[in-house]
Amino acid sequence: MDLADIGVTGLATMGRNLARNLARHGYAVAVHNRTAGRTEELVAQFGGEGTFLPATDLKSFVASLKRPRRAIVMVKAGPGTDAVIDQLAELMEPGDMIVDGGNALFTDTRRREAALREKGIHFVGTGISGGEEGALHGPSIMPGGSRESYEALGPILEDIAAKVDGVPCATYVGPDGAGHFVKMVHNGIEYADMQLIAESYDLLRQALGATPAELAEIFREWNAGELESYLIEITAEVLAHVDAETGKPFVDVVLDQAEQKGTGRWTVQSALDLGVPVTGIAEAVFARSLSGHPEQRAAARALAGPAVSGVADRSFVEDVRQALYASKIVAYAQGFDQITAASQEFGWDIDRGAMATIWRGGCIIRARFLDRIRQAFDADPSLATLLVDRYFADALALAQDAWRRVVSTAASIGVPTPGFSSALAYYDALRRDRLPAALIQGQRDFFGAHTYRRVDREGAFHTDWSGDRAERPA
Ligand code: 6PG
């Protein structure tokens, strides 16, 4: 019997499309799903696209794989993943590979990798971005795990990934949970990017009284410049869409409560643990949470707002574009800082330029701008922050006046722009010669004898605030 090059278990949309992508690239693909109907459906509908080896149970699925076996698990992240992994591991041998292509929490991936390593099985936690279309036509793939497993898997993943200038959007990320971590931060950045775009829309609509159709045109124009990206492109599409039933702009008939599956929240939780200020991502997560509190929003509708509600000047459009670009640079810089911190914490040795490279295509945050990020990290792999790279520093310098005007206009007309405002605050805080953190240290020492360091001497000190106020080494 002919054996499969690789297998996919879990044939919901993402798994099915990934299996088809593999088959279309000439790989013989073993396919399995808990309910056999889906497997049969896949083979009946798409069997002509390549070689599929359907299996009705995991035992025959594993038996149909070439050695070393490569099995991709595409089930919803959570306890279900553990069950499938455990069953596969029972059926596999040392040297085989289990690839988790779901959005798993990186700490779960670390745990699973360690457990399977004991058995000699490679566990490859892999970020896959690009939605259903990406899975089928070329996603961005972020695999973690052992280098050895990448030798056997990498060529296949690079083959089916999106390509930009002939370069695949897939590369080895790092050991154990590194791949899922990078995917998580990708999603966090996705949240920040979406929030910033949403603020631009809201502000322009409110300030200029522009219609969604007019705003679609503005986003379309923006997409021809430095903001060119998938998210800007689809924003124009969504804004131009008209609801068939009511004839109203689609955006006006959608309930304004943003949902989330959790990866943005995980990014912020991890950033808190790592001590990395990902303010753009955090504001985006909180903005979604706030939108989901209709009772409070209804109660607050009576609160006082400003007298002015708009601006007449069309130059505001360009100001908002600049504010969006500058805030986006900050959000990406923060996301990359989080990757840097985790890479150090967990010994992953992640190449940031390579991550920017594989995000250039296939994934949700794909953008022209990522090529600039790649160049920045390639030119200086130890760059302290993306903001100081020459290209980005110049872009921020050019944008900052407009950015400040946008944030102050938004405040004066009462349009919330947490993304723009916090990004500007971050930019200004980072630039500051002295921060009020010195005062906070004084307060901490006053009420809790928490001690402080001085600018002119080594060591920790405490002032006897309740006594003679003399300073003593701590
Ligand atoms: C991707 C996306 C995807 C994610 C959705 C949902 O990279 O293809 O990030 O993995 O599932 O974007 O995210 P929320 O439901 O949390 O908005």
Side-chain angles (χ1 to χ4, degrees):
M1 172 181 133
D2 284 339
L3 294 176
D5 301 299
I6 192 158
V8 178
T9 176
L11 300 175
T13 324
M14 285 293 284
R16 185 190 63 196
N17 283 0
L18 200 69
R20 289 175 61 198
N21 186 350
L22 287 159
R24 287 171 168 200
H25 279 84
Y27 298 102
V29 192
V31 282
H32 168 264
N33 193 68
R34 199 158 44 95
T35 49
R38 277 218 169 124
T39 318
E40 287 157 19
E41 211 180 294
L42 165 63
V43 178
Q45 260 186 287
F46 306 107
E49 293 182 354
T51 310
F52 293 101
L53 279 73
T56 47
D57 55 77
L58 275 179
K59 194 167 178 214
S60 51
F61 171 74
V62 170
S64 69
L65 296 170
K66 267 180 205 160
R67 286 188 173 83
R69 302 182 180 93
R70 293 173 281 220
I72 307 181
V73 179
M74 294 297 291
V75 299
K76 195 164 172 279
T81 318
D82 278 312
V84 177
I85 292 167
D86 289 349
Q87 288 173 52
L88 280 174
E90 282 299 307
L91 298 161
M92 286 186 155
E93 292 167 354
D96 289 347
M97 284 154 262
I98 299 177
V99 183
D100 177 8
N103 272 334
L105 181 60
F106 78 99
T107 45
D108 286 340
T109 305
R110 282 168 63 78
R111 168 178 57 77
R112 290 168 181 150
E113 197 273 341
L116 289 182
R117 199 172 344 124
E118 299 271 297
K119 301 184 174 180
I121 294 172
H122 299 280
F123 184 68
V124 181
T126 300
I128 301 180
S129 177
E132 325 174 356
E133 284 295 298
L136 183 60
H137 299 292
S140 172
I141 310 181
M142 297 149 246
S146 67
R147 275 236 175 244
E148 199 186 332
S149 62
Y150 195 77
E151 306 275 300
L153 265 170
I156 302 180
L157 300 181
E158 290 179 21
D159 212 9
I160 63 159
K163 312 279 180 308
V164 174
D165 303 332
V167 180
C169 296
T171 195
Y172 177 62
V173 176
D176 56 80
H180 274 143
F181 187 88
V182 165
K183 174 60 177 27
M184 178 189 77
V185 175
H186 163 283
N187 281 25
I189 293 175
E190 170 185 305
Y191 275 51
D193 218 338
M194 292 166 75
Q195 172 66 21
L196 294 171
I197 293 171
E199 289 177 19
S200 305
Y201 147 77
D202 194 24
L203 197 47
L204 287 177
R205 190 164 184 189
Q206 181 68 31
L208 300 174
T211 64
E214 286 162 352
L215 291 166
E217 209 36 58
I218 290 173
F219 279 101
R220 220 168 265 138
E221 280 163 28
W222 288 0
N223 201 37
E226 58 199 353
L227 280 171
E228 183 190 321
S229 61
Y230 173 70
L231 285 171
I232 295 278
E233 182 192 323
I234 64 162
T235 299
E237 298 275 338
V238 173
L239 288 175
H241 189 58
V242 173
D243 176 50
E245 204 181 308
T246 58
K248 288 184 183 165
F250 167 79
V251 75
D252 288 346
V253 299
V254 176
L255 189 69
D256 59 346
Q257 295 176 23
E259 297 178 20
Q260 48 185 312
K261 292 203 197 72
T263 45
R265 186 170 61 238
W266 288 349
T267 314
V268 179
Q269 284 168 338
S270 143
L272 290 172
D273 290 340
L274 292 163
V276 182
V278 291
T279 56
I281 301 171
E283 290 295 355
V285 174
F286 287 138
R288 288 195 192 190
S289 312
L290 185 153
S291 77
H293 284 283
E295 9 37 75
Q296 281 192 323
R297 291 174 58 194
R301 217 151 281 151
L303 294 175
V308 269
S309 62
V311 292
D313 194 347
R314 291 294 292 191
S315 67
F316 193 58
V317 175
E318 175 56 16
D319 277 1
V320 172
R321 191 190 70 83
Q322 297 274 8
L324 173 55
Y325 192 49
S327 305
K328 182 171 160 142
I329 294 171
V330 167
Y332 279 66
Q334 294 176 339
F336 274 97
D337 285 349
Q338 187 172 353
I339 291 176
T340 310
S343 182
Q344 280 163 4
E345 171 88 11
F346 302 111
W348 287 334
D349 197 21
I350 296 176
D351 175 348
R352 295 178 295 179
M355 297 307 104
T357 304
I358 63 170
W359 286 350
R360 291 183 310 166
C363 62
I364 305 297
I365 65 167
R366 61 184 180 262
R368 181 201 280 200
F369 157 91
L370 276 153
D371 211 37
R372 293 288 185 180
I373 300 184
R374 177 191 64 79
Q375 286 168 22
F377 287 126
D378 282 356
D380 180 2
S382 60
L383 198 61
T385 161
L386 199 58
L387 304 188
V388 300
D389 165 74
R390 173 63 65 82
Y391 173 83
F392 290 112
D394 287 350
L396 290 163
L398 265 177
Q400 63 143 350
D401 287 342
W403 195 8
R404 294 180 196 287
R405 279 195 296 275
V406 167
V407 169
S408 56
T409 302
S412 66
I413 65 173
V415 174
T417 52
F420 286 168
S421 313
S422 74
L424 181 58
Y426 176 87
Y427 175 74
D428 282 334
L430 216 53
R431 296 186 308 108
R432 277 305 281 285
D433 183 26
R434 294 270 303 154
L435 286 169
L439 176 59
I440 290 170
Q441 284 296 79
Q443 293 163 332
R444 292 179 67 245
D445 191 56
F446 191 106
F447 64 65
H450 293 304
T451 77
Y452 51 88
R453 287 175 293 154
R454 296 182 53 101
V455 294
D456 49 4
R457 256 176 298 147
E458 284 295 310
F461 300 90
H462 168 61
T463 289
D464 182 9
W465 295 101
S466 51
D468 62 2
R469 304 222 159 172
E471 181 179 82
R472 292 179 186 88

